[in-house]
Amino acid sequence: MALSGLEIYKLLPKTNCKDCGFPTCLAFAMKLAQKQVELAACPHVSEAAQAALSDAAAPPIRLITLSSNGNKLEVGNETVLYRHEKTFFHQPGIFVRVSDDLPLDEIKARTAEVDGYVVDYVGMPLSYDGLAIAYASGNPEQFGDAVKAVCDTTHKLLILIADDPAALKAGLAAADGRTPLLCAANAENWRRVALAAKNAKAPLVVRVDDSDPSTSSEQRLDGLAKLTEDIAKFGVDDLVLDPGVRGFNESLATITHIRRLALKENFRALGYPVITFPGEGATSQLDEVTLAGQQIAKYAGFVVLDHFTEASAYALLVLRANIYTDPQKPIQVEPGVYPINNPGPDSPLMVTTNFSITYFSVANEVESSGLPGWLLVADAEGMSVLTAWAAGKFDAERIAKAVKESGALGKISHKQVILPGHVAVLMGELEEELPGWEIKVGPREAVDLPAFLKM
Ligand code: SF4
């Protein structure tokens, strides 16, 4: 039973020491009741209070961790239904499935393809999280060999997909040193599979079948909740849900329902991340990517794809990166002066803001022009040029300060600076702030910079 903020407050030390980062114990209690902080943030709670607060302190969606050779993926611990309410904290892991009945060389080649794909997106290196090895051979030894082939090729994370505990055991032995996600326990096999997960201290997928069309969504979720409760009592707490639905509509409705039950009703039995298999609900590769995109947005914790292409990987990774950035904190680059194409002292000095997308748009255009230049990035609190100007965060005073304090003066031998065309209106004020400087007005759009620089 969830406790109210006041009930939690009564159990806290009430010293208002602020060590938790909140001004009072009451403020901390209110946040704890809303699942927006963890009890561990208060170092002064007594053991008795800790026991009493354990239910209130537990995250509504359990945090699940996979690890492999220094790589780690944390999924869960989400606290809101909509990103704009706060932020989404842990992005879903994206995995590509390989089947153990493929020749080992092919398994290695597919793994290497996934392993080698990294794309730079506004300064962030994006890549898939791992491989999911599926047990199709019927031979546990072969499954172990397939897992070993993957482990020999990549340090990425693993999901072992097998209903047979013997196969999981062989896979776990081959994945020695890694903590994979085991998939899956169902109503028939759960005791034996849960034992394998318990011994390996590995998280476990709990699955209900969607094979009976007469089963309603409520019945399916009831069955899933019953299974998670049984398995948790058995001693495996790190669980992931597979509600068995695969298509666009059912997937959206069911996963959203699970999220609501966990966050709004504090329904512990379904308070776990969800795994999805978009390829099983799709009729084409395009459908698979589209469904995966839907599930990344709402609210998958692990997404297992059947296909890998660079085009689909780029689309899904960029989508994920955008959804799982804090909407209240724009992606920013460090203010400063950046060299492009080996500039010298007489190369032009261009100014822009520290909003990542703005920076990379400008930098990419200058770089692709082949012309050398210095790009001065002013601190505009992560806003784009026009937004920052309208908010008073990108004015003549700030630009002049950036020119003087960024180190640009030590790199150039001239006194010229190029303003973005959108803020041409700042030209006069900037001339006053930078006496003796020539202020040039550049183009409004980054794409026109190469032509401007060649003039
Ligand atoms: Fe109160 Fe604990 Fe926060 Fe101190 S750290 S203010 S005792 S809740």
Side-chain angles (χ1 to χ4, degrees), residues 141-159:
E141 199 179 324
Q142 188 169 337
F143 185 66
D145 290 344
V147 174
K148 183 171 184 314
V150 171
C151 290
D152 287 347
T153 314
T154 183
H155 288 159
K156 286 186 180 289
L157 301 154
L158 301 179
I159 299 177

Side-chain angles (χ1 to χ4, degrees), residues 196-371:
K198 193 174 175 178
N199 291 338
K201 296 188 174 58
L204 176 64
V205 176
V206 182
R207 171 180 290 164
V208 283
D209 245 334
D210 193 29
S211 52
D212 181 358
S214 65
T215 310
S216 70
S217 172
E218 282 71 24
Q219 286 170 320
R220 198 177 303 119
L221 291 188
D222 281 349
L224 193 56
K226 168 85 174 57
L227 259 181
T228 62
E229 282 173 342
D230 288 343
I231 294 173
K233 274 185 210 147
F234 185 78
V236 180
D237 295 316
D238 289 339
L239 302 177
V240 173
L241 308 176
D242 178 2
V245 289
R246 294 294 183 260
F248 281 84
N249 293 345
E250 319 82 74
S251 168
L252 179 63
T254 304
I255 299 172
T256 303
H257 194 183
I258 289 173
R259 177 91 156 200
R260 281 184 175 279
L261 287 169
L263 295 187
K264 300 296 176 194
E265 309 297 330
N266 202 27
F267 186 53
R268 291 276 180 228
L270 294 180
Y272 302 97
V274 172
I275 190 170
T276 64
F277 300 87
E280 295 179 13
T283 52
S284 66
Q285 282 194 40
L286 183 59
D287 257 9
E288 181 186 32
V289 178
T290 310
L291 183 50
Q294 172 188 295
Q295 292 165 341
I296 286 169
K298 286 187 180 284
Y299 295 102
F302 298 88
V303 177
V304 179
L305 299 164
D306 285 324
H307 301 94
F308 173 83
T309 66
E310 293 196 352
S312 58
Y314 182 81
L316 294 175
L317 289 167
V318 169
L319 172 71
R320 181 178 72 169
N322 279 288
I323 291 172
Y324 281 81
T325 50
D326 188 337
Q328 292 162 31
K329 290 184 197 154
I331 311 170
Q332 303 180 22
V333 292
E334 203 57 38
V337 59
Y338 291 79
I340 300 175
N341 296 331
N342 298 316
D346 56 349
S347 300
L349 178 68
M350 296 152 275
V351 64
T352 191
T353 70
N354 66 330
F355 179 44
S356 269
I357 293 175
T358 299
Y359 166 81
F360 280 100
S361 302
V362 175
N364 287 347
E365 291 298 338
V366 178
E367 194 177 334
S368 62
S369 76
L371 298 168

Side-chain angles (χ1 to χ4, degrees), residues 12-13 15-20 22 24-25 28 42-44:
L12 292 176
T15 56
N16 299 334
C17 71
K18 302 185 179 62
D19 287 353
C20 57
F22 289 89
T24 62
C25 293
F28 179 75
C42 171
H44 311 297

